[in-house]
Amino acid sequence: MKCSKCSEKAVFLVPKFCKKHFIDYFEKKVFETIKKFSLVNPKEKIVVACSGGKDSTAVLYLLKKFHKKVVALAIDEGIFGYRNKTLIDLKKFCSKNNIELRIYSFEKEFGKTLDEMLKQKQHPCSVCGIFRRYLMNKYARGFGKIATGHNMDDESQAVLMNLMKGNVDLLWHSVPMTKKVGNFVQRIKPLYFCSEKEVAAYALLKGFEVSFNECLYIKDSFRNQVRDALNNYELENSGTKLNILKKHLLMLEKIKFETSFFQYCSVCDEPAKEDICKACQLIKSFK
Amino acid sequence: MKIFIEKDEKMMEKKFSGKIIVLLKSLDINPTSVLVVKNGSLVTEEDSVNDDDSIKILNVISGG
Ligand SMILES: [Zn+2]
Ligand SMILES: [Zn+2]
């Protein structure tokens, strides 16, 4: 099987490219997304939300290459056997690529690791998500934007899930760049048009030392169903995920932007849906 | 042929020669969700493998 651009052996099927042409294609696609949606301004510094996994590591590498002004921010939730491993990879990657890395831990910020918090019977992903978002927002403030590793699979799954659940205001989260609201830090997603498989191939071909492991806590089963359904559909109808996102963006252009109601937490001043934010409510429940 | 399935951290031995896409189907794996590494290099699902090859099947799902 030959590359569609040269006589080298293809390493990827759709599109059919050799190693060199695949890397060129992938980087060009990411840089075009950054340009087309004006994801970065020349002057601002971008915080990259890093997990040590392939997606955020690819974003970190490409923003460093394209924009230069980046700082890596990682949250150590304290998931033994998972996060401690991915953080070792991330530390190595950042020192090799000369990138500043800041790590904030649940233990230091909230007095407990995620493993310890869960002894009190909350759902791991919701507790984890609340505290991760909280710390990201808090420590990214003052920088331009937060870049995340969300790819085409994550985003097309989110669109379908929010449609099925009727969460119309959440559809505004599944975009290459979120709108400016209150003192939330804007999110950018340079991998918005890259499939999970493409990102994995890029990370592998570039020799990034990233673990392909999943978090040990059990995933949202609804997301797994949507992922399997989309992957099965994509296999028969190539381009399905891309079409979902393109039509989704087109529809958003035609409806009025409405943010769901929020105020500022009376304890910590971070944005909140109620008088006291979710993070502060959880911290209080630990005491 | 030696097959390592990363998702389950499982090493298996299987008699097979033919296209990788057929191998994946026999293992009930959707090619959209994996990368296949043959003897240390990334290959496409259209490539063929035989009993002398050593295969790694890597899950592409994000770790979050
Ligand atoms: Zn080529
Ligand atoms: Zn608060």
Coordinates of all heavy atoms in Angstrom, one line a residue, chain A residues 95-131:
Chain A
S95 N 10.4 19.1 30.0 CA 11.8 19.5 30.1 C 12.5 19.3 28.8 O 13.3 20.2 28.4 CB 12.4 18.8 31.3 OG 12.7 17.5 30.9
K96 N 12.1 18.3 28.0 CA 12.8 18.1 26.7 C 12.4 19.2 25.7 O 13.3 19.6 24.9 CB 12.3 16.7 26.2 CG 13.1 16.2 25.0 CD 12.6 14.8 24.6 CE 13.0 14.4 23.2 NZ 12.3 13.2 22.8
N97 N 11.2 19.7 25.8 CA 10.8 20.7 24.9 C 10.8 22.1 25.4 O 10.3 23.0 24.8 CB 9.4 20.4 24.4 CG 9.3 19.2 23.5 OD1 9.7 19.2 22.3 ND2 9.0 18.0 24.0
N98 N 11.4 22.2 26.6 CA 11.7 23.6 27.2 C 10.4 24.3 27.4 O 10.2 25.5 27.0 CB 12.6 24.3 26.2 CG 13.4 25.4 27.0 OD1 13.4 25.4 28.2 ND2 14.0 26.3 26.2
I99 N 9.4 23.7 28.1 CA 8.1 24.3 28.3 C 7.9 24.3 29.8 O 8.2 23.4 30.6 CB 7.0 23.4 27.7 CG1 7.1 23.4 26.2 CG2 5.6 23.9 28.1 CD1 6.2 22.4 25.5
E100 N 7.4 25.5 30.3 CA 7.1 25.6 31.7 C 5.9 24.8 32.1 O 4.9 24.8 31.5 CB 6.9 27.1 32.1 CG 6.6 27.3 33.5 CD 6.0 28.7 33.9 OE1 6.0 29.6 33.0 OE2 5.5 28.9 35.0
L101 N 6.1 24.0 33.2 CA 5.0 23.1 33.7 C 4.6 23.5 35.1 O 5.4 23.7 36.0 CB 5.5 21.7 33.6 CG 4.6 20.6 34.3 CD1 3.2 20.5 33.6 CD2 5.2 19.3 34.3
R102 N 3.3 23.7 35.3 CA 2.8 24.0 36.6 C 1.8 22.9 37.0 O 0.9 22.6 36.2 CB 2.0 25.3 36.7 CG 2.9 26.5 36.3 CD 2.2 27.8 36.4 NE 3.0 28.9 36.0 CZ 2.7 30.1 36.0 NH1 1.5 30.5 36.5 NH2 3.5 31.1 35.6
I103 N 2.0 22.3 38.1 CA 1.1 21.2 38.6 C 0.4 21.6 39.9 O 1.0 22.1 40.8 CB 1.9 19.9 38.8 CG1 2.6 19.5 37.6 CG2 1.0 18.8 39.3 CD1 3.5 18.2 37.7
Y104 N -0.9 21.5 39.9 CA -1.7 21.8 41.1 C -2.4 20.5 41.5 O -3.0 19.8 40.7 CB -2.7 22.9 40.8 CG -2.1 24.2 40.4 CD1 -1.9 24.5 39.0 CD2 -1.6 25.0 41.3 CE1 -1.3 25.7 38.7 CE2 -1.0 26.2 41.0 CZ -0.8 26.5 39.6 OH -0.2 27.7 39.3
S105 N -2.4 20.2 42.8 CA -2.9 18.9 43.2 C -4.2 19.1 44.0 O -4.3 20.1 44.8 CB -1.9 18.1 44.0 OG -1.8 18.6 45.3
F106 N -5.1 18.2 43.9 CA -6.3 18.2 44.7 C -5.9 18.1 46.2 O -6.5 18.8 47.0 CB -7.2 16.9 44.4 CG -8.0 17.0 43.2 CD1 -7.8 18.0 42.3 CD2 -9.1 16.1 43.0 CE1 -8.6 18.1 41.1 CE2 -9.9 16.2 41.9 CZ -9.7 17.2 41.0
E107 N -4.9 17.3 46.5 CA -4.5 17.2 47.9 C -4.1 18.5 48.5 O -4.6 18.9 49.6 CB -3.4 16.2 48.0 CG -3.1 15.7 49.4 CD -2.1 14.6 49.5 OE1 -1.3 14.4 48.6 OE2 -2.1 13.9 50.6
K108 N -3.3 19.3 47.8 CA -2.8 20.5 48.3 C -3.9 21.6 48.3 O -4.1 22.4 49.3 CB -1.6 21.0 47.5 CG -0.8 22.1 48.1 CD 0.7 22.0 47.9 CE 1.4 23.3 48.4 NZ 1.8 24.2 47.4
E109 N -4.7 21.6 47.2 CA -5.7 22.6 47.1 C -7.0 22.4 47.9 O -7.6 23.3 48.4 CB -6.2 22.8 45.6 CG -5.0 23.1 44.7 CD -4.6 24.6 44.8 OE1 -5.4 25.4 45.1 OE2 -3.4 24.8 44.6
F110 N -7.4 21.1 48.1 CA -8.6 20.8 48.7 C -8.4 19.9 50.0 O -9.4 19.5 50.6 CB -9.6 20.1 47.8 CG -9.8 20.8 46.5 CD1 -9.5 20.3 45.3 CD2 -10.4 22.1 46.5 CE1 -9.7 21.0 44.1 CE2 -10.6 22.8 45.4 CZ -10.2 22.3 44.1
G111 N -7.2 19.5 50.3 CA -6.9 18.7 51.5 C -7.1 17.2 51.3 O -7.0 16.5 52.3
K112 N -7.5 16.8 50.1 CA -7.8 15.4 49.9 C -7.5 15.0 48.4 O -7.7 15.8 47.5 CB -9.3 15.0 50.1 CG -9.7 14.8 51.6 CD -11.2 14.4 51.6 CE -11.6 13.8 52.9 NZ -11.3 14.4 54.1
T113 N -7.0 13.8 48.2 CA -6.8 13.3 46.8 C -8.2 12.8 46.4 O -9.1 12.5 47.2 CB -5.9 12.1 46.8 OG1 -6.4 11.0 47.5 CG2 -4.5 12.4 47.4
L114 N -8.4 12.6 45.1 CA -9.6 12.1 44.5 C -9.9 10.7 45.2 O -11.1 10.4 45.5 CB -9.6 12.0 43.0 CG -10.9 11.5 42.4 CD1 -12.0 12.6 42.6 CD2 -10.8 11.3 40.9
D115 N -8.9 9.9 45.2 CA -9.1 8.5 45.8 C -9.7 8.7 47.2 O -10.6 7.9 47.6 CB -7.8 7.8 45.9 CG -7.3 7.3 44.5 OD1 -8.1 7.4 43.6 OD2 -6.1 7.0 44.4
E116 N -9.2 9.6 48.0 CA -9.7 9.8 49.4 C -11.1 10.4 49.4 O -12.0 10.0 50.2 CB -8.8 10.7 50.2 CG -7.5 10.1 50.6 CD -6.4 11.1 51.1 OE1 -6.7 12.3 51.0 OE2 -5.4 10.7 51.5
M117 N -11.4 11.4 48.5 CA -12.7 12.0 48.4 C -13.8 11.0 48.2 O -14.9 11.1 48.7 CB -12.7 13.0 47.2 CG -11.9 14.3 47.4 SD -11.9 15.2 45.9 CE -10.8 16.6 46.4
L118 N -13.4 9.9 47.3 CA -14.4 9.0 46.9 C -14.8 8.0 48.0 O -15.8 7.3 47.9 CB -14.0 8.3 45.7 CG -13.8 9.2 44.5 CD1 -13.2 8.6 43.3 CD2 -15.2 9.8 44.1
K119 N -14.0 8.0 49.0 CA -14.5 7.1 50.1 C -15.8 7.6 50.7 O -16.4 7.0 51.5 CB -13.4 7.1 51.2 CG -12.2 6.2 50.7 CD -11.0 6.3 51.5 CE -9.8 5.6 50.8 NZ -8.5 6.1 51.2
Q120 N -16.1 8.8 50.3 CA -17.4 9.4 50.8 C -18.5 9.2 49.7 O -19.5 10.0 49.7 CB -17.2 10.8 51.2 CG -16.1 10.9 52.3 CD -15.7 12.3 52.6 OE1 -15.9 13.2 51.8 NE2 -15.0 12.4 53.7
K121 N -18.3 8.3 48.8 CA -19.4 7.8 47.9 C -20.0 8.8 46.9 O -21.1 8.8 46.6 CB -20.6 7.3 48.8 CG -20.3 6.1 49.6 CD -21.6 5.4 50.0 CE -21.4 4.0 50.6 NZ -21.1 4.1 52.0
Q122 N -19.1 9.7 46.3 CA -19.6 10.5 45.2 C -19.2 9.8 43.9 O -18.3 9.0 43.9 CB -19.0 11.9 45.3 CG -19.8 12.9 46.1 CD -19.1 13.2 47.4 OE1 -18.1 12.5 47.8 NE2 -19.5 14.2 48.1
H123 N -19.8 10.2 42.8 CA -19.4 9.6 41.5 C -18.1 10.2 41.1 O -17.9 11.5 41.1 CB -20.5 9.9 40.5 CG -20.3 9.2 39.2 ND1 -19.4 9.6 38.3 CD2 -20.8 8.0 38.8 CE1 -19.3 8.7 37.3 NE2 -20.2 7.7 37.6
P124 N -17.1 9.4 40.8 CA -15.7 9.9 40.6 C -15.7 11.0 39.5 O -15.0 12.0 39.7 CB -15.0 8.6 40.2 CG -16.0 7.6 39.9 CD -17.1 7.9 40.7
C125 N -16.3 10.7 38.3 CA -16.1 11.7 37.2 C -16.7 13.0 37.5 O -16.2 14.1 37.1 CB -16.7 11.1 35.9 SG -15.8 9.6 35.5
S126 N -17.8 13.1 38.3 CA -18.4 14.4 38.5 C -17.6 15.1 39.5 O -17.4 16.3 39.4 CB -19.9 14.2 38.9 OG -20.0 13.9 40.3
V127 N -17.2 14.5 40.6 CA -16.3 15.1 41.6 C -15.0 15.6 40.9 O -14.6 16.8 41.0 CB -15.9 14.2 42.7 CG1 -14.9 14.8 43.7 CG2 -17.2 13.8 43.5
C128 N -14.4 14.8 40.1 CA -13.2 15.1 39.5 C -13.3 16.3 38.5 O -12.6 17.2 38.5 CB -12.7 13.8 38.7 SG -11.1 14.0 37.9
G129 N -14.4 16.2 37.7 CA -14.7 17.2 36.7 C -14.9 18.6 37.4 O -14.4 19.6 36.9
I130 N -15.6 18.6 38.5 CA -15.9 19.9 39.2 C -14.6 20.5 39.7 O -14.3 21.7 39.4 CB -16.9 19.7 40.4 CG1 -18.3 19.4 39.9 CG2 -16.9 20.9 41.3 CD1 -19.2 18.9 40.9
F131 N -13.8 19.7 40.3 CA -12.5 20.3 40.8 C -11.5 20.6 39.7 O -10.7 21.5 39.9 CB -11.9 19.3 41.9 CG -12.6 19.3 43.2 CD1 -13.0 18.2 43.8 CD2 -13.0 20.5 43.8 CE1 -13.6 18.2 45.1 CE2 -13.6 20.6 45.0 CZ -14.0 19.4 45.6

